[in-house]
Amino acid sequence: LVRDKLRDDTQATLDMLSQYQLMVLSGDTQENVNNIVNTLPIQTALGGLSPEQKFEEVQKLQQQNKKVLMMGDGINDAPVLASADVAVAVGNATDVAKTAANVILLGDSLLSVPQLLNVALSVKRKIRQNIAWSVGYNILILPFAIAGVLSPWMAVVGMSLSSIIVVTNSTRLLSK
């Protein structure tokens, strides 16, 4: 009897991802899928799926306006990875899966997935902050520049300072 073995960091990774809807879409038999996920915090585990059926499951989620992050490693996963909002290939994935992925995990650790999501959320927040700063600055300063209250050189210096603030704010991501 051949049994699949979970990676050592699977439980910790899934615990860190508990705020998300976690699913397994597998081509393996439903019995094997159930045996693997029975102790894991997985809401849905579907086995015996063809690549087309996996693709259809992802499409159903996206039609419900859900964002789908798909992890895969095989040739059969490539179409589904290509259709997901974010596609992650594990480090030992086939070249086809890696080509379809947005992100390739370089090591064997699954703990990099929660870290990836945290970095992505931090970048998204930083982008919003920078856009808000830039738009706010332009809304505040542009009328003064048009009215002639500010001379052109003052507007240029102000715009440069605004750019420096945006870049400095962005570099704060590097310290996380």
Side-chain angles (χ1 to χ4, degrees):
L1 179 67
V2 176
R3 296 203 44 132
D4 289 321
K5 184 178 180 313
L6 294 173
R7 294 174 190 234
D8 293 337
D9 58 354
T10 301
Q11 184 69 49
T13 300
L14 294 178
D15 289 343
M16 294 171 81
L17 297 173
S18 63
Q19 72 267 31
Y20 299 102
Q21 179 182 353
L22 303 173
M23 296 179 71
V24 171
L25 303 175
S26 176
D28 207 351
T29 66
Q30 187 65 50
E31 182 182 356
N32 286 346
V33 171
N34 290 343
N35 287 336
I36 288 184
V37 302
N38 64 358
T39 61
L40 300 174
I42 304 282
Q43 290 87 358
T44 307
L46 302 175
L49 300 179
S50 67
E52 293 81 15
Q53 291 169 318
K54 290 179 189 179
F55 177 82
E56 289 168 5
E57 288 296 324
V58 169
Q59 294 298 302
K60 283 182 201 174
L61 292 168
Q62 290 172 328
Q63 288 168 359
Q64 297 169 14
N65 291 324
K66 295 183 178 178
K67 300 295 181 198
V68 176
L69 181 145
M70 174 76 183
M71 284 185 67
D73 63 357
I75 293 171
N76 291 340
D77 293 328
V80 187
L81 287 169
S83 69
D85 296 294
V86 178
V88 179
V90 294
N92 60 351
T94 63
D95 288 340
V96 175
K98 287 179 181 178
T99 300
N102 303 107
V103 177
I104 300 171
L105 301 181
L106 297 179
D108 283 342
S109 176
L110 295 176
L111 289 170
S112 56
V113 174
Q115 183 181 6
L116 166 72
L117 294 174
N118 289 337
V119 168
L121 290 172
S122 294
V123 168
K124 187 176 179 180
R125 278 192 300 274
K126 202 59 67 179
I127 288 170
R128 287 184 175 155
Q129 289 172 5
N130 289 342
I131 288 172
W133 171 259
S134 297
V135 168
Y137 172 82
N138 285 317
I139 288 173
L140 184 67
I141 297 301
L142 192 61
F144 291 113
I146 290 172
V149 174
L150 292 177
S151 62
W153 71 268
M154 294 170 115
V156 168
V157 169
M159 187 57 93
S160 297
L161 287 174
S162 174
S163 296
I164 289 169
I165 290 171
V166 165
V167 170
T168 302
N169 190 34
S170 298
T171 59
R172 292 175 50 210
L173 285 169
L174 297 174
S175 65
K176 291 188 178 201

Coordinates of all heavy atoms in Angstrom, one line a residue, residues 44-80:
T44 N -13.1 21.9 1.7 CA -13.6 21.1 0.6 C -12.4 20.3 0.0 O -11.4 20.9 -0.2 CB -14.2 22.0 -0.5 OG1 -15.2 22.9 0.0 CG2 -14.8 21.2 -1.7
A45 N -12.7 19.0 -0.2 CA -11.6 18.1 -0.8 C -12.3 17.3 -1.9 O -13.1 16.4 -1.5 CB -11.0 17.3 0.3
L46 N -11.9 17.5 -3.1 CA -12.5 16.8 -4.2 C -11.4 16.0 -4.9 O -10.4 16.5 -5.3 CB -13.1 17.8 -5.2 CG -14.2 18.7 -4.7 CD1 -14.7 19.7 -5.7 CD2 -15.4 17.9 -4.2
G47 N -11.7 14.7 -5.0 CA -10.8 13.8 -5.7 C -11.3 13.3 -7.0 O -12.5 13.5 -7.3
G48 N -10.5 12.6 -7.7 CA -10.9 12.0 -9.0 C -11.2 13.0 -10.1 O -12.0 12.7 -11.0
L49 N -10.6 14.2 -10.0 CA -10.9 15.2 -11.0 C -9.9 15.2 -12.1 O -8.7 15.0 -12.0 CB -10.9 16.6 -10.3 CG -11.8 16.9 -9.2 CD1 -11.6 18.3 -8.6 CD2 -13.3 16.7 -9.6
S50 N -10.5 15.4 -13.3 CA -9.6 15.6 -14.5 C -9.2 17.0 -14.5 O -9.7 17.9 -13.8 CB -10.4 15.3 -15.8 OG -11.4 16.3 -15.9
P51 N -8.2 17.4 -15.3 CA -7.8 18.8 -15.4 C -8.9 19.7 -15.8 O -9.0 20.8 -15.3 CB -6.7 18.7 -16.5 CG -6.1 17.4 -16.4 CD -7.3 16.5 -16.1
E52 N -9.8 19.2 -16.7 CA -11.0 20.0 -17.1 C -11.9 20.3 -15.9 O -12.4 21.4 -15.7 CB -11.7 19.3 -18.2 CG -11.0 19.2 -19.5 CD -10.0 18.1 -19.6 OE1 -10.0 17.1 -18.7 OE2 -9.1 18.1 -20.4
Q53 N -12.1 19.2 -15.1 CA -13.0 19.4 -13.9 C -12.4 20.3 -12.9 O -13.1 21.1 -12.2 CB -13.3 18.0 -13.3 CG -14.2 17.2 -14.1 CD -14.2 15.7 -13.6 OE1 -13.2 15.2 -13.2 NE2 -15.4 15.2 -13.7
K54 N -11.0 20.3 -12.7 CA -10.4 21.2 -11.8 C -10.6 22.7 -12.3 O -10.9 23.6 -11.6 CB -8.9 20.9 -11.7 CG -8.5 19.7 -11.0 CD -7.0 19.5 -11.0 CE -6.5 18.2 -10.5 NZ -5.0 18.1 -10.5
F55 N -10.4 22.8 -13.6 CA -10.6 24.1 -14.3 C -12.0 24.6 -14.0 O -12.2 25.8 -13.7 CB -10.3 24.0 -15.8 CG -10.5 25.2 -16.6 CD1 -9.6 26.2 -16.6 CD2 -11.7 25.4 -17.3 CE1 -9.8 27.4 -17.3 CE2 -11.9 26.6 -18.0 CZ -11.0 27.6 -18.0
E56 N -13.0 23.7 -14.2 CA -14.4 24.1 -14.0 C -14.6 24.6 -12.5 O -15.4 25.5 -12.3 CB -15.3 23.0 -14.3 CG -15.4 22.7 -15.8 CD -16.1 21.4 -16.2 OE1 -16.6 20.7 -15.3 OE2 -16.1 21.1 -17.4
E57 N -14.0 23.9 -11.6 CA -14.2 24.2 -10.2 C -13.6 25.6 -9.9 O -14.2 26.4 -9.2 CB -13.5 23.2 -9.2 CG -14.2 21.9 -9.2 CD -15.6 22.0 -8.5 OE1 -15.8 22.8 -7.6 OE2 -16.5 21.2 -9.0
V58 N -12.5 25.9 -10.5 CA -11.9 27.3 -10.3 C -12.8 28.3 -11.0 O -13.0 29.4 -10.4 CB -10.4 27.3 -10.9 CG1 -9.9 28.7 -11.0 CG2 -9.5 26.4 -10.1
Q59 N -13.3 28.0 -12.1 CA -14.2 28.9 -12.8 C -15.5 29.2 -12.0 O -15.9 30.3 -11.9 CB -14.6 28.4 -14.2 CG -13.5 28.2 -15.2 CD -12.9 29.6 -15.5 OE1 -13.6 30.5 -16.0 NE2 -11.6 29.7 -15.3
K60 N -16.0 28.2 -11.3 CA -17.2 28.4 -10.5 C -16.9 29.4 -9.3 O -17.7 30.2 -9.0 CB -17.6 27.0 -9.8 CG -18.3 26.1 -10.8 CD -18.7 24.8 -10.0 CE -19.0 23.7 -10.9 NZ -19.3 22.4 -10.1
L61 N -15.7 29.2 -8.7 CA -15.3 30.1 -7.6 C -15.2 31.5 -8.2 O -15.6 32.5 -7.5 CB -14.0 29.6 -7.0 CG -14.1 28.3 -6.2 CD1 -12.7 27.8 -5.9 CD2 -14.9 28.5 -5.0
Q62 N -14.5 31.7 -9.3 CA -14.3 33.0 -9.9 C -15.7 33.7 -10.3 O -15.8 34.9 -10.2 CB -13.4 32.9 -11.1 CG -12.0 32.6 -10.6 CD -11.0 32.4 -11.8 OE1 -11.4 31.8 -12.8 NE2 -9.7 32.7 -11.6
Q63 N -16.6 32.9 -10.7 CA -17.9 33.4 -11.1 C -18.7 33.9 -9.9 O -19.6 34.7 -10.0 CB -18.8 32.4 -11.8 CG -18.3 32.1 -13.3 CD -18.9 30.9 -13.9 OE1 -19.7 30.2 -13.3 NE2 -18.5 30.6 -15.2
Q64 N -18.3 33.4 -8.7 CA -18.8 33.9 -7.4 C -18.0 35.1 -6.9 O -18.1 35.4 -5.7 CB -18.8 32.8 -6.4 CG -19.7 31.6 -6.7 CD -19.4 30.4 -5.8 OE1 -18.8 30.5 -4.8 NE2 -19.9 29.2 -6.2
N65 N -17.2 35.7 -7.8 CA -16.3 36.8 -7.4 C -15.3 36.5 -6.3 O -14.9 37.4 -5.6 CB -17.2 38.0 -7.0 CG -17.9 38.6 -8.2 OD1 -17.4 38.6 -9.3 ND2 -19.1 39.1 -8.0
K66 N -14.9 35.2 -6.3 CA -13.8 34.9 -5.3 C -12.5 34.9 -6.1 O -12.4 34.5 -7.3 CB -14.1 33.5 -4.8 CG -15.4 33.4 -3.9 CD -15.6 32.1 -3.3 CE -16.8 32.2 -2.4 NZ -17.1 30.9 -1.8
K67 N -11.5 35.3 -5.4 CA -10.1 35.3 -5.9 C -9.5 33.9 -5.6 O -9.6 33.4 -4.5 CB -9.3 36.4 -5.3 CG -9.8 37.8 -5.6 CD -9.8 38.1 -7.0 CE -10.3 39.5 -7.3 NZ -10.7 39.7 -8.6
V68 N -8.9 33.3 -6.6 CA -8.4 31.9 -6.4 C -6.9 31.9 -6.5 O -6.3 32.4 -7.5 CB -9.0 31.0 -7.5 CG1 -8.4 29.6 -7.4 CG2 -10.5 30.9 -7.4
L69 N -6.3 31.4 -5.5 CA -4.8 31.1 -5.5 C -4.7 29.6 -5.7 O -5.3 28.9 -4.8 CB -4.2 31.6 -4.2 CG -2.7 31.3 -4.2 CD1 -2.0 32.4 -3.4 CD2 -2.3 30.0 -3.5
M70 N -4.1 29.2 -6.7 CA -4.0 27.7 -7.0 C -2.5 27.3 -6.9 O -1.6 28.0 -7.4 CB -4.5 27.5 -8.4 CG -4.3 26.1 -8.9 SD -5.5 25.0 -8.2 CE -5.0 23.4 -8.9
M71 N -2.3 26.2 -6.1 CA -1.0 25.6 -6.1 C -1.0 24.3 -6.8 O -1.9 23.6 -6.7 CB -0.6 25.4 -4.6 CG -0.2 26.6 -3.9 SD 0.4 26.2 -2.2 CE 1.9 25.4 -2.6
G72 N 0.1 24.1 -7.6 CA 0.2 22.8 -8.3 C 1.6 22.5 -8.7 O 2.5 23.4 -8.6
D73 N 1.8 21.3 -9.2 CA 3.2 20.9 -9.5 C 3.3 20.1 -10.8 O 4.4 19.8 -11.2 CB 3.8 20.2 -8.3 CG 3.1 18.9 -8.0 OD1 2.1 18.5 -8.6 OD2 3.6 18.2 -7.1
G74 N 2.1 19.6 -11.3 CA 2.2 18.7 -12.4 C 1.8 19.3 -13.8 O 1.2 20.4 -13.8
I75 N 2.0 18.5 -14.8 CA 1.5 18.9 -16.1 C 0.0 19.1 -16.2 O -0.5 20.0 -16.8 CB 2.0 17.8 -17.2 CG1 3.5 17.8 -17.3 CG2 1.3 18.1 -18.5 CD1 4.0 16.6 -18.1
N76 N -0.7 18.2 -15.5 CA -2.2 18.3 -15.4 C -2.7 19.6 -14.7 O -3.8 20.0 -14.9 CB -2.8 17.1 -14.7 CG -2.6 15.9 -15.6 OD1 -2.4 15.9 -16.8 ND2 -2.7 14.7 -14.9
D77 N -1.8 20.2 -13.9 CA -2.2 21.4 -13.2 C -2.0 22.7 -14.0 O -2.6 23.7 -13.6 CB -1.4 21.5 -11.9 CG -1.7 20.5 -10.9 OD1 -2.9 20.0 -10.8 OD2 -0.8 20.1 -10.1
A78 N -1.3 22.6 -15.1 CA -1.0 23.8 -15.9 C -2.2 24.6 -16.3 O -2.2 25.8 -16.2 CB -0.1 23.5 -17.0
P79 N -3.2 24.0 -16.9 CA -4.4 24.7 -17.3 C -5.1 25.4 -16.2 O -5.6 26.6 -16.3 CB -5.3 23.7 -18.0 CG -4.5 22.5 -18.3 CD -3.3 22.5 -17.3
V80 N -5.2 24.8 -15.1 CA -5.8 25.3 -13.9 C -5.0 26.5 -13.3 O -5.5 27.5 -12.9 CB -6.1 24.3 -12.8 CG1 -6.9 24.8 -11.7 CG2 -6.8 23.1 -13.4

